[in-house]
Amino acid sequence: MPNTLAHIGVHGLLMRFGCRWPWALIYAGAIIPDIPWIALRVLKRALPQIDPSALILYSAAQSSLLSCMLLCALLALFLSPRIRSFVILLSGAALHLGIDALQTKWSNGVLLTAPFDWTLCSLGLAWPEHWIFVVLTALGLAMVVISLVARRWPQTEPTIVKWPGYLQLMLAAALLALYLLCPIPQVKPAFRANLYHSTSLAQDPKPTDHFFTFDRAKVRPSEGEAHATLYNGESVVLDNLNVSNPQLISLQGRFTSEGRFHVDAHHFPRGRTRDMSAIAGLLCLLVYFGKELYTAKRLGGPIQFL
């Protein structure tokens, strides 16, 4: 995925200056598909005993367009006007997935039609480190500054945070339950579809005729050889690749024997730049929403997003 600031740049340009929609809804829609992946990182650190393969399949199902639609509907129940808010949030989530699908990411992409089809959509036009995403990252930072210092420009119809009635609260609870629980029964279908090579990786021994790709595997030198830790926690020895220090590397190749992986092609991401930009983007959004809440409290009226 592009980093959060890059998404903010694209979403702000198209949705604020193109459609004149409220900043807050634009920002919320921009990060909705990433919420499962943020939660994944937290859970992997907090509960290391959870099966990492099942966890990533759950997160993938939860980041699909259909799951994003559930979360958009949930959030819209607390906003007024509701239908307009839902349209803005869903447009932002769909735009996010569309941008992600443009990138080159081995064994990765977006799920636009899950749970009906588990094909990852990835057009592979550019790596996340391409200069265009650097420009979009700078644009995203500019959008955050504009939304903080000129929140009313360009002029837009405000969206008001409104506590729903009893029936709407019941509907919100049902949507939250669907958002959290529906991905659970989707794990097995995703596994059967061999999403992220999950079925092939579970085989013992690994199939030597299957072509594997891994996005940003953790690679480290050890005893004169390169060792990679795959997303399922398994460690393999890499042939045809040497490294002098630990780093993230995207890999393509085949298993030649138990515990050994022959690298046919590899790609070096630009360090932790993407991760740091994503964290910076999330911090910027926290600052923005904090400022909006402080402004509403200071003025004493309802929370309005402009």
Side-chain angles (χ1 to χ4, degrees):
M1 66 188 78
N3 66 71
T4 306
L5 280 174
H7 277 298
I8 290 173
V10 177
H11 284 66
L13 185 65
L14 296 180
M15 301 177 72
R16 179 67 180 198
F17 292 93
C19 302
R20 296 198 174 187
W21 287 339
W23 286 113
L25 271 63
I26 294 171
Y27 291 158
I31 64 170
I32 280 176
D34 279 347
I35 290 176
W37 302 112
I38 296 171
L40 170 69
R41 294 194 176 192
V42 175
L43 287 174
K44 285 176 68 175
R45 291 182 178 274
L47 301 171
Q49 66 273 23
I50 296 180
D51 179 8
S53 295
L55 191 57
I56 197 171
L57 294 178
Y58 172 91
S59 299
Q62 199 175 51
S63 67
S64 68
L65 182 59
L66 184 59
S67 290
C68 290
M69 191 179 301
L70 293 173
L71 186 55
C72 291
L74 168 62
L75 295 176
L77 288 175
F78 294 86
L79 301 170
S80 179
R82 289 190 178 122
I83 295 179
R84 175 175 176 264
S85 300
F86 173 73
V87 170
I88 296 173
L89 291 169
L90 184 58
S91 298
L95 179 59
H96 179 123
L97 294 174
I99 296 170
D100 283 357
L102 299 177
Q103 289 194 315
T104 302
K105 293 188 69 180
W106 291 342
S107 190
N108 216 327
V110 299
L111 293 168
L112 297 177
T113 54
F116 311 105
D117 180 32
W118 293 98
T119 302
L120 288 168
C121 180
S122 177
L123 300 180
L125 299 183
W127 286 98
E129 297 78 28
H130 194 273
W131 65 266
I132 186 64
F133 294 111
V134 177
V135 173
L136 293 177
T137 299
L139 178 63
L141 188 58
M143 290 294 168
V144 172
V145 173
I146 291 173
S147 65
L148 287 172
V149 302
R151 63 192 292 262
R152 296 180 178 272
W153 180 77
Q155 192 66 37
T156 182
E157 178 185 348
T159 296
I160 301 173
V161 177
K162 185 178 181 181
W163 191 255
Y166 177 76
L167 291 179
Q168 287 79 17
L169 278 177
M170 295 293 291
L171 178 57
L175 288 171
L176 179 60
L178 288 173
Y179 179 73
L180 296 175
L181 299 178
C182 279
I184 296 177
Q186 296 177 34
V187 169
K188 285 188 176 180
F191 179 80
R192 289 195 295 267
N194 204 22
L195 188 65
Y196 305 128
H197 307 289
S198 53
T199 307
S200 301
L201 285 174
Q203 296 181 27
D204 191 17
K206 303 291 186 295
T208 57
D209 59 344
H210 183 80
F211 188 73
F212 288 83
T213 56
F214 301 106
D215 179 52
R216 301 209 306 168
K218 296 179 181 178
V219 180
R220 69 190 187 283
S222 179
E223 300 178 355
E225 294 182 305
H227 293 245
T229 301
L230 308 180
Y231 76 85
N232 64 348
E234 183 177 354
S235 181
V236 297
V237 179
L238 302 178
D239 297 324
N240 197 35
L241 180 67
N242 294 315
V243 295
S244 57
N245 56 284
Q247 55 191 300
L248 299 175
I249 306 177
S250 296
L251 305 169
Q252 288 185 343
R254 290 177 171 84
F255 284 92
T256 55
S257 62
E258 187 62 26
R260 302 197 73 90
F261 184 83
H262 185 274
V263 178
D264 293 330
H266 62 275
H267 172 76
F268 292 97
R270 191 175 298 165
R272 297 279 183 174
T273 304
R274 194 198 323 176
D275 292 338
M276 297 305 296
S277 298
I279 293 172
L282 292 174
L283 291 176
C284 287
L285 294 188
L286 286 176
V287 171
Y288 169 80
F289 282 105
K291 179 178 181 293
E292 289 293 295
L293 293 175
Y294 172 77
T295 300
K297 183 178 180 180
R298 180 172 55 85
L299 297 177
I303 300 175
Q304 295 189 58
F305 296 131
L306 301 175

